[in-house]
Amino acid sequence: MTSSMPASEADRGGRPERSVLMSTYPPTPVTFVRGEGTRLYDEDGRRYLDFLSGLAVTALGHCHPVVTEAIAEQARTLVHVSNLFGNVVGPDVAATLDRLIGDGTGAGGRVFLANSGAEANECAIKLARRWAGPGRYVVVSAYGSFHGRTLATLHATGQPTKHEPFQPLPEGFRHVAWDDLDALERAVDGSVVAGVLLEPILGEGGVNPPAPGFLTAVRRLCDERGALLMLDEIQTGLGRTGRWFAFQHEGIMPDVVTMAKALGNGVPIGACWARAEVADAFRPGDHGSTFGGQPLAAAAAKATLAVMEEADVPALARTSGAQLREGLDGLPGVAGVRGQGLLLAAELEVPVAKEVTARALAAGLVVNAVTEKAVRLAPPLLVSSDEIEEALAILGQVLGEHRVADRGPRRGGPPPTGTA
């Protein structure tokens, strides 16, 4: 503790407590200080198995040596220049993303590099309005969706309880029931709607995939009404669902794709890809970012994508996801499993997901509750078979003990491990 720091505001090591930070996040029972692969370590040196990956961010695990070395090398070379000038790394990242969106052959689109998923979606929303022209400014999204926490992306997010404290929100957003094509057909008025923004699988909304063929039907609807199909692949993209992007399971091509979480394996970077004729709607000065695509973040993304391609992470997600799904299906208290690849949710028989995730954390496993009954699992894509069995054993023990001790919700447990 330093002489200028009151005892009540200092914890071990003289560091300020979280109370000096804005209270935008719930209290957490654990502070992690180190990560390696699928493992996290707290201040007491206790080891945890990370099956959340920082909300699907550390897709290659913590501190992957190739990414770490790329960051260190770039930090020794050039960290930042204004986007008034080019850098040699960002175009490589954009070219790789365009190739992967084209399923390996290139899609002929263009990429804006941002700092986050919210910024990527802001770019998509602005691009839709610019492309559609005056009078066509409405974006249609789904109830239960999550698209970010800036004012525009907050309104795009289909969760009215998140809207209430921040009224009035920017105009131009409509919401329809998830996976409801009839509702979408009624909402997409070609005279005012510029685009449809959807997650291929609802993430925070409970890891809910749509019915097979839904995205194909939405693609057809957007073509008929002259609206852009914009897919938020911020959580589902880059191998997480067993394809490079979740839309590739249906063989469609969207007009706009946004990405972020896994792109820098923990270094903040986002991206908005668009078909070239859509991207051309932007003129110099229409959009920008001080830090977006700067060399340090781009170097992390370039190394992350290289490792992902070499390891063939979509194939790993399919194999490991099948093992995890089968194991979850057999656990006590699990009513069903949904999702794709290594983005899964275990639906519980009773609404105790928050308590189960808290008990799992206490037992050394990091997962989180996305609804009262659903536990989300998104481990690193390089997770091993043994680590999956270890996670299943912990969850099985937690669920089994819960069934014996108490079938109803309990009060006073630690909060869920996070949202987004």
Side-chain angles (χ1 to χ4, degrees):
M1 183 174 64
T2 65
S3 58
S4 60
M5 188 179 298
S8 61
E9 295 182 2
D11 59 8
R12 75 185 77 179
R15 286 179 292 99
E17 289 183 331
R18 287 170 61 95
S19 59
V20 299
L21 301 174
M22 290 190 184
S23 55
T24 54
Y25 300 102
T28 172
V30 176
T31 297
F32 293 118
V33 297
R34 185 167 71 85
E36 181 179 0
T38 59
R39 304 290 176 174
L40 284 166
Y41 298 82
D42 69 14
E43 293 176 297
D44 297 321
R46 188 171 180 225
R47 194 171 73 158
Y48 298 78
L49 185 57
D50 185 3
F51 264 48
L52 190 56
S53 305
L55 297 170
V57 169
T58 51
L60 300 179
H62 297 279
C63 302
H64 191 283
V66 173
V67 180
T68 298
E69 179 53 33
I71 295 169
E73 177 58 27
Q74 191 62 48
R76 288 191 290 265
T77 306
L78 180 67
V79 170
H80 179 79
V81 293
S82 164
N83 280 316
L84 295 172
F85 310 98
N87 72 70
V88 299
V89 194
D92 290 343
V93 174
T96 301
L97 293 177
D98 183 71
R99 176 162 50 78
L100 297 179
I101 286 172
D103 212 6
T105 60
R110 295 175 184 168
V111 175
F112 176 83
L113 294 174
N115 296 295
S116 67
E119 284 194 9
N121 280 336
E122 284 276 351
C123 176
I125 292 164
K126 288 179 65 178
L127 181 60
R129 291 188 176 194
R130 194 74 164 94
W131 170 82
R136 292 181 63 200
Y137 60 94
V138 172
V139 169
V140 181
S141 59
Y143 283 118
S145 63
F146 184 87
H147 298 293
R149 296 185 188 274
T150 63
L151 282 179
T153 59
L154 178 63
H155 203 182
T157 291
Q159 300 186 46
T161 55
K162 294 185 185 298
H163 300 164
E164 293 309 317
F166 304 104
Q167 299 290 346
L169 291 171
E171 295 181 6
F173 295 92
R174 293 178 183 171
H175 301 99
V176 299
W178 169 240
D179 197 19
D180 188 334
L181 186 61
D182 291 340
L184 199 57
E185 287 179 334
R186 291 191 295 272
V188 180
D189 175 350
S191 66
V192 295
V193 171
V196 175
L197 177 62
L198 297 174
E199 296 168 274
I201 298 174
L202 289 188
E204 188 178 291
V207 191
N208 288 299
F214 175 71
L215 293 178
T216 302
V218 177
R219 171 72 277 179
R220 188 181 309 118
L221 176 66
C222 288
D223 289 340
E224 293 171 355
R225 307 284 171 90
L228 294 181
L229 173 56
M230 305 188 292
L231 294 184
D232 177 340
E233 294 257 13
I234 288 164
Q235 184 162 191
T236 54
L238 300 172
R240 173 62 60 184
T241 69
R243 299 291 298 269
W244 283 110
F245 294 92
F247 70 81
Q248 292 167 340
H249 289 286
E250 286 214 20
I252 63 167
M253 179 58 71
D255 301 302
V256 178
V257 181
T258 56
M259 300 149 270
K261 290 180 181 294
L263 183 52
N265 202 48
V267 175
I269 183 170
C272 176
W273 172 94
R275 291 191 294 110
E277 53 269 43
V278 175
D280 285 348
F282 270 162
R283 296 288 183 267
D286 280 349
H287 196 57
S289 169
T290 296
F291 296 109
Q294 53 109 274
L296 191 67
K302 181 178 178 178
T304 298
L305 291 169
V307 174
M308 284 180 162
E309 288 200 274
E310 183 176 359
D312 191 3
V313 289
L316 295 178
R318 292 193 295 272
T319 303
S320 298
Q323 180 189 354
L324 182 57
R325 176 186 285 272
E326 182 179 356
L328 290 170
D329 257 331
L331 294 183
V334 172
V337 182
R338 55 177 181 265
Q340 282 183 300
L342 281 173
L343 178 60
L344 298 174
E347 182 76 8
L348 306 182
E349 294 172 348
V350 292
V352 292
K354 290 182 180 180
E355 184 177 7
V356 166
T357 58
R359 290 187 177 195
L361 182 64
L365 175 66
V366 181
V367 292
N368 87 318
V370 283
T371 71
E372 290 298 317
K373 296 179 70 175
V375 175
R376 174 170 49 182
L377 299 98
L381 304 179
L382 304 183
V383 66
S384 71
S385 177
D386 288 345
E387 289 164 338
I388 290 174
E389 292 305 317
E390 182 181 344
L392 290 169
I394 294 173
L395 263 183
Q397 180 178 349
V398 167
L399 289 165
E401 290 174 351
H402 185 273
R403 266 191 154 184
V404 171
D406 183 359
R407 277 182 165 271
R410 292 175 51 162
R411 306 295 180 191
T417 52
T419 61

